[in-house]
Amino acid sequence: MTSTNNEYLHRQLIRLGDMLGDGDCDPWVGREYRRVATALGVMPRRKRTNNIKFINEAMATTLATTRCPSCNGQLKQTRSGSMRGQCLACNKKYQFKSVKVK
């Protein structure tokens, strides 16, 4: 990043921090503050959770018992880590709801 861009981001970070400190701000201010702080390297980047193994196991058990509603065909997971199944007979796609783990 250039120094002028860096200076602009620092000024913006201070302005957004003041708005958060006062408490009279909209919900977008927190998101913007996090984005600017991450761009400056002040806050670490959030790591995405990796639930692919759990999703694949849950989809395998669900697809073993579920059939296509329209043609009663067998369903197959479209791609690893997705909650979407596709009928092998009629090629219709179905979205399965995610299960929240507590």
Side-chain angles (χ1 to χ4, degrees), residues 24-95:
D24 56 347
C25 58
D26 293 329
W28 63 268
V29 176
R31 289 190 301 267
E32 190 69 18
Y33 182 86
R34 186 176 292 115
R35 184 190 66 79
V36 172
T38 304
L40 284 171
V42 177
M43 286 179 91
R45 294 192 182 273
R46 285 186 176 179
K47 293 192 177 187
R48 294 181 64 172
T49 58
N50 188 354
N51 294 329
I52 293 174
K53 187 176 181 182
F54 172 74
I55 291 171
N56 288 340
E57 290 171 1
M59 282 295 288
T61 58
T62 302
L63 294 178
T65 60
T66 308
R67 305 292 281 185
C68 178
S70 61
C71 71
N72 204 20
Q74 185 180 2
L75 295 174
K76 177 182 118 178
Q77 190 176 10
T78 56
R79 68 189 298 173
S80 176
S82 73
M83 299 290 285
R84 185 175 292 250
Q86 184 175 10
C87 178
L88 296 176
C90 65
N91 290 330
K92 285 189 178 179
K93 293 182 181 177
Y94 298 99
Q95 181 69 39

Side-chain angles (χ1 to χ4, degrees), residues 14-30:
I14 292 169
R15 181 177 56 84
L16 292 169
D18 289 342
M19 290 173 75
L20 283 173
D22 292 341
D24 56 347
C25 58
D26 293 329
W28 63 268
V29 176

